[in-house]
Amino acid sequence: MASTSGTKGAGRLEGKVAVITGAGRGVGRACATAFASEGADLVLVDVPGDIVGVPYPLASESQLQHTAEACRKHGVEVLTAAADVRDLAALSAVRELSVDRFGQVDALVNNAGVVAPSGRPVHETSEDDWQLLLDIDLSGAWRMTKLFAPLLIERRAGSIVNVASTAGLVGYRNFAGYVAAKHGLIGLTKASALDYAAFKVRVNAVCPGNIRDEPAAEGRMLSEVARALDVPLAGHQALFTEQQPMNTLVDPVDVAEAVLWLSCDATRHVTGSTVTVDAGYTVR
């Protein structure tokens, strides 16, 4: 485990470089700090401001820098980059910065995503809303994979983890765009795993369930799901908790631990897998 005093130790990701999208808060922040604690140098990516059509504020530059500073306390090197996963040119620039700074990339975590615009049945969903969800939640991961997979292929090793959702495994009423994007992300995971297996590059997915809006991670996904469903924000976490067989919500760190496991050498023969972290929600 890496030291928190600013000196790196012998962690599971020592000597490796990881690129994480959506790193400004929530699961992305939890993944970044977990990777840093295990010795990984990091490239942390998040969108430079809000996105037209997404009905809630996205991570700010200050939140991304807060994540970076938390990671640096573990003695690792951290590069931050503002880039929209819809912008291939901006992501190409991130790749070049990553190579220039570190000379390699060993792990890619495709975490960037939005849960809304949602809250309407299929026939009331606008084309703009539909395309926006697909472009961020599915095509964003495809763009990052397109750009960074060649770096892993060159090293004949590495890991790609796509952060999907239980919405990639089951349906949710009035969330057709989000559900379609996350189902597509599972399909992208499986196809990519076959494409890169011969090069010893692993591709897996993690499917979180309802994630607690933990103050330390500054996440707000669950509250936005509640808003889309017209569920009162007062007490909404208790309501979602009742739906879980384990009678608990998932914490961001729970998801981060699964992503970390899939990114380290202990899972060098695991590819094309889908790991659920959902307190038993999809068992039923």
Side-chain angles (χ1 to χ4, degrees), residues 16-102:
K16 297 186 184 297
V17 176
V19 179
I20 302 174
T21 65
R25 67 186 185 198
V27 168
R29 176 178 291 176
C31 288
T33 53
F35 277 47
S37 74
E38 294 290 345
D41 294 322
L42 297 167
V43 180
L44 305 181
V45 185
D46 216 318
V47 65
D50 295 337
I51 292 176
V52 175
V54 177
Y56 57 90
L58 300 178
S60 65
E61 174 63 22
S62 64
Q63 287 175 315
L64 181 60
Q65 294 306 321
H66 180 79
T67 301
E69 288 306 312
C71 293
R72 291 187 181 111
K73 291 179 180 179
H74 294 279
V76 302
E77 290 191 55
V78 181
L79 174 68
T80 61
D84 188 329
V85 294
R86 299 174 299 169
D87 187 341
L88 187 63
L91 299 179
S92 296
V94 173
R95 181 187 61 186
E96 296 309 310
L97 286 172
S98 303
V99 173
D100 288 346
R101 177 71 173 269
F102 297 113

Side-chain angles (χ1 to χ4, degrees), residues 125-142:
T125 300
S126 71
E127 184 169 357
D128 286 345
D129 288 354
W130 175 265
Q131 292 294 347
L132 181 62
L133 284 162
L134 292 180
D135 206 11
I136 297 172
D137 292 0
L138 175 56
S139 297
W142 166 75

Side-chain angles (χ1 to χ4, degrees), residues 15 50 55 59 69 80 159 179 187 200 229:
D50 295 337
E69 288 306 312
T80 61
S159 168
V179 168
K200 308 303 181 185
L229 294 174

Side-chain angles (χ1 to χ4, degrees), residues 230-249:
D230 292 325
V231 173
L233 293 182
H236 74 284
Q237 293 201 126
L239 180 62
F240 285 118
T241 299
E242 292 174 1
Q243 300 173 1
Q244 314 308 311
M246 294 184 73
N247 196 36
T248 185
L249 297 175

